[in-house]
Amino acid sequence: MAFNPDSSILFQVLSKAALFTNRYDGLRYGLRADPSEDLKKQLAHLNMDTSDGLMAASRQLGLGPEVKRRILAGNFFLLRSQQHKYLDAARRLWRLIRRDFDQVFTEVDFLLTPVSLHSAPLLEDFRRLDSRSRCSREDVCTVGVNLAGLPAVTIPIKLSNQPETIGLPIGLQVIGPPWSEPRLLHLADLIEERANFPLLFDIPTALNLK
């Protein structure tokens, strides 16, 4: 699967382009900025009596830094002068990734991969990273499947025995070809049964913590 390692980069381009839409306007749904006098003073550069000003204020108040960066990046990728360089190239790579999976499924029925490159992170470790770093770190094994539009299911199969992450789950991803959902779920059920993953209240026993 020669092109699958590039799927994270591809996702960054396509997802940012998709984010550049008018649905984040604060008018139809979601957070809407309350045009109070205090807010008008705070955002004096915006005319909140107009729909454009209200939309800009709602975005400024309701969207975090990472989302704003993605919207700006999407705006850049959709520029006529940049579409061929970035967006059109990403679409070509998208087709190649889908072709990679199609070729693999002529030889095997299902693919088994990790869900991530490590066990579930601790909450403090997860919060320590910014959104961009978390996405690039956590999505490596799953983003290609989503780009290819394939059915997949993740199941916990084991508890980590590493000192820093002891007791945290390790997941397995089962990927199937298009329209294989019934067989995919059946296989996942068999694997889950064989793995004998402990229920939540049995985890201390499984780790010999009692």
Side-chain angles (χ1 to χ4, degrees), residues 117-136:
L117 301 180
H118 47 77
S119 60
L122 297 173
L123 181 59
E124 54 266 29
D125 294 336
F126 188 78
R127 286 176 170 172
R128 194 176 298 128
L129 297 173
D130 59 78
S131 296
R132 186 182 307 172
S133 300
R134 284 200 300 266
C135 289
S136 61

Side-chain angles (χ1 to χ4, degrees), residues 21-32 55 59:
T21 66
N22 291 328
R23 65 177 178 270
Y24 298 100
D25 55 14
L27 301 177
R28 290 168 290 182
Y29 51 83
L31 175 71
R32 177 185 295 188
M55 179 173 65
R59 286 182 169 182

Side-chain angles (χ1 to χ4, degrees), residues 99-195:
R99 189 184 68 183
D100 274 350
F101 278 103
D102 289 340
Q103 291 175 346
V104 166
F105 284 121
T106 62
E107 302 175 13
V108 300
D109 295 321
F110 296 97
L111 288 172
L112 303 181
T113 74
V115 176
S116 64
L117 301 180
H118 47 77
S119 60
L122 297 173
L123 181 59
E124 54 266 29
D125 294 336
F126 188 78
R127 286 176 170 172
R128 194 176 298 128
L129 297 173
D130 59 78
S131 296
R132 186 182 307 172
S133 300
R134 284 200 300 266
C135 289
S136 61
R137 178 180 172 183
E138 304 294 339
D139 296 347
V140 172
C141 299
T142 57
V143 67
V145 181
N146 288 284
L147 287 171
L150 297 174
V153 61
T154 62
I155 51 177
I157 59 167
K158 188 178 180 181
L159 296 175
S160 172
N161 57 8
Q162 299 299 312
E164 63 275 10
T165 57
I166 189 167
L168 294 176
I170 298 173
L172 176 72
Q173 179 178 222
V174 187
I175 308 166
W179 313 112
S180 64
E181 285 86 347
R183 293 187 299 129
L184 176 69
L185 292 175
H186 180 63
L187 175 60
D189 183 56
L190 291 176
I191 294 174
E192 193 171 29
E193 183 180 340
R194 293 290 183 91

Side-chain angles (χ1 to χ4, degrees), residues 159-161 166-167 198 201-210:
L159 296 175
S160 172
N161 57 8
I166 189 167
F201 56 81
D202 287 335
I203 288 178
T205 303
L207 295 171
N208 296 318
L209 297 180
K210 285 188 175 181

Side-chain angles (χ1 to χ4, degrees), residues 69-102:
R69 280 194 292 268
R70 293 188 180 197
I71 290 177
L72 290 173
N75 188 11
F76 174 76
F77 292 142
L78 290 174
L79 289 173
R80 182 174 298 178
S81 59
Q82 302 298 328
Q83 277 198 23
H84 178 71
K85 184 177 180 181
Y86 294 102
L87 194 56
D88 291 348
R91 286 169 175 160
R92 289 193 295 271
L93 180 57
W94 187 5
R95 288 192 290 270
L96 292 173
I97 289 175
R98 295 180 66 178
R99 189 184 68 183
D100 274 350
F101 278 103
D102 289 340

